[in-house]
Amino acid sequence: MADYIQPLQTLCEQFQRLSGIGRKTALRLAFSVLESSEEDAAAFAQAILDAKQKIHLCPICQNLTDREICTVCDDDRRDPTTVCVVEDPRAVLALEKVKEYRGRYHVLHGVISPMNGVGPDQLKIKELLDRLNDGVTEVIVATNPTVEGEATAMYIARLLSPFGIKVTRLAYGIPMGGDLEFADEITLYRALEGRRTVE
Amino acid sequence: MADYIQPLQTLCEQFQRLSGIGRKTALRLAFSVLESSEEDAAAFAQAILDAKQKIHLCPICQNLTDREICTVCDDDRRDPTTVCVVEDPRAVLALEKVKEYRGRYHVLHGVISPMNGVGPDQLKIKELLDRLNDGVTEVIVATNPTVEGEATAMYIARLLSPFGIKVTRLAYGIPMGGDLEFADEITLYRALEGRRTVE
């Protein structure tokens, strides 16, 4: 990218800092910006600044919010006795789409990963413990089914065991619409292990 | 995307305006911005503004530049008698990578496409004609080998025929490293048509 004119080069480098954006995509996006109107580019720049400045963590659940307390924590109709622990705000968005879960959330902002130097202290686990006195009876650990996600779930389960709180994990199994033929062995094993009586 | 908090929603919408960015990618990129530091986000916003403000069209070749006249037009060592006509600035970048072409460029900023309401007047064709008096002897029409690119090449060839300027087109054929088995029929036809004596 050495031969680009400087402002284009800089913009490409900025796009490349974003997750999953390589050299070619960065160039395409940079050209997209150049092809937009001056007002649109200004609105884009402003949106970046606004998002960064206005969005912070909810002091209770650690999810992203632009309000003092996030809409879930601030909603009296949401059951405060159940807390669903997730890795990141994206998981909250995914779960909220289901519209079935009526409890609260807690966002860890990561998983325990010694390889990446992330220990429990780097996660919002202390903040989770601080919430347990408020009548929490069940903690659903909904970290992703990866090695790190599982390890984090185990860690949290052990940490909460003295509190007498029910700790659950999401069910593993064949995804709906999936095909047994294409399911990996671990998923199939978990699906067998978690089999249920047909009622 | 209705349930996102407002600044996140706005940022997602801004990303979605960029070419080839859908809803999910926009969300991933927006989270990427939120995860970056305040300084990085400010640098990103500034890069967008800078690119848009500092980059304009070279008055001669219509390529993007942040200088008064672009580096190619301003380079006396580049042969001014040969002008390579391309659709967009990306094509100039691609051709410059080859490091073989020593002539000048002319960027049309599009192709003739009646379906999209783009006629010759919307392209930088008038600016091309204005340059022909400066001793141009060959115009290489390097528009893309699409229906619109071909039509534009034909249009330019006809337009230039009264000027007695040689108008050429890039060679079509099997791409290097390609496999005959996977070449489409039109490419194979063009490769046969454009066959050359082995010397």
Side-chain angles (χ1 to χ4, degrees), chain A residues 3-8 10-11 14-15 17-21 23 27-29 31-38 40-45 47-55 64-66 89-90 93 97 99, chain B residues 3-8 10-11 14-15 17-21 23 27-29 31-38 40-45 47-55 64-66 89-90 93 97 99:
Chain A
D3 292 337
Y4 296 176
I5 49 179
Q6 196 50 52
L8 180 61
T10 308
L11 185 55
Q14 288 294 335
F15 272 118
R17 301 174 75 116
L18 302 179
S19 108
I21 300 292
R23 212 171 50 81
L27 186 59
R28 193 188 73 218
L29 297 178
F31 272 114
S32 229
V33 169
L34 291 179
E35 282 157 11
S36 66
S37 72
E38 196 113 6
D40 285 351
F44 185 20
I48 291 168
L49 296 174
D50 279 355
K52 197 64 203 163
Q53 279 159 12
K54 292 185 186 162
I55 297 176
L64 299 173
T65 184
D66 58 341
R90 271 160 277 201
L93 289 178
K97 265 192 208 146
K99 296 190 200 307
Chain B
D3 292 338
Y4 296 175
I5 49 178
Q6 196 49 54
L8 181 61
T10 309
L11 185 55
Q14 288 294 336
F15 273 118
R17 302 174 76 117
L18 302 179
S19 109
I21 299 294
R23 212 172 51 80
L27 185 58
R28 194 188 72 219
L29 297 178
F31 272 114
S32 230
V33 168
L34 291 180
E35 282 157 11
S36 66
S37 71
E38 195 114 4
D40 285 351
F44 185 19
I48 291 168
L49 296 174
D50 279 354
K52 197 61 205 168
Q53 278 158 13
K54 292 185 185 164
I55 297 176
L64 300 173
T65 184
D66 58 341
R90 271 160 277 203
L93 288 178
K97 266 193 208 145
K99 296 192 198 309

Side-chain angles (χ1 to χ4, degrees), chain A residues 45-198:
Chain A
Q46 195 56 49
I48 291 168
L49 296 174
D50 279 355
K52 197 64 203 163
Q53 279 159 12
K54 292 185 186 162
I55 297 176
H56 56 94
L57 301 188
C58 168
I60 300 171
C61 73
Q62 312 295 322
N63 193 8
L64 299 173
T65 184
D66 58 341
R67 304 162 45 140
E68 200 180 334
I69 287 171
C70 82
T71 48
V72 174
C73 289
D74 204 29
D75 185 348
D76 289 339
R77 293 163 301 173
R78 306 286 299 231
D79 175 11
T81 66
T82 309
V83 173
C84 181
V85 176
V86 295
E87 289 183 23
D88 51 41
R90 271 160 277 201
V92 175
L93 289 178
L95 285 162
E96 282 297 280
K97 265 192 208 146
V98 186
K99 296 190 200 307
E100 265 308 305
Y101 180 65
R102 300 307 301 161
R104 308 286 175 106
Y105 292 99
H106 191 85
V107 182
L108 295 177
H109 291 279
V111 274
I112 296 170
S113 171
M115 291 277 283
N116 299 318
V118 181
D121 294 347
Q122 275 87 56
L123 306 178
K124 304 291 184 186
I125 289 180
K126 194 187 154 294
E127 289 79 357
L128 175 63
L129 296 180
D130 289 346
R131 295 175 68 185
L132 297 182
N133 298 324
D134 307 341
V136 175
T137 56
E138 180 176 358
V139 168
I140 306 168
V141 188
T143 50
N144 290 324
T146 57
V147 175
E148 289 91 355
E150 291 289 289
T152 308
M154 290 293 288
Y155 178 87
I156 290 173
R158 273 185 215 153
L159 204 64
L160 301 191
S161 63
F163 293 83
I165 292 170
K166 187 173 161 193
V167 178
T168 55
R169 192 98 175 82
L170 292 184
Y172 295 125
I174 315 294
M176 295 303 291
D179 190 323
L180 283 193
E181 188 184 350
F182 303 121
D184 63 291
E185 286 144 54
I186 300 170
T187 301
L188 272 179
Y189 171 74
R190 294 297 189 107
L192 277 170
E193 195 184 44
R195 67 190 180 276
R196 290 177 169 217
T197 312
V198 182

Side-chain angles (χ1 to χ4, degrees), chain B residues 8 70 76 89 115 151 185:
Chain B
L8 181 61
C70 83
D76 290 339
M115 291 277 282
E185 286 144 56

Side-chain angles (χ1 to χ4, degrees), chain B residues 110-114 118-120 123 125 147-149 151-153 155-156:
Chain B
V111 275
I112 296 169
S113 170
V118 181
L123 305 179
I125 289 180
V147 175
E148 289 90 355
T152 308
Y155 178 86
I156 291 173

Side-chain angles (χ1 to χ4, degrees), chain B residues 24 29 36 41 68 73 75 85 88 103 105 117 151 158 175 199:
Chain B
K24 287 195 171 180
L29 297 178
S36 66
E68 200 179 334
C73 290
D75 185 347
V85 176
D88 52 40
Y105 292 99
R158 273 185 215 152
E199 281 155 15

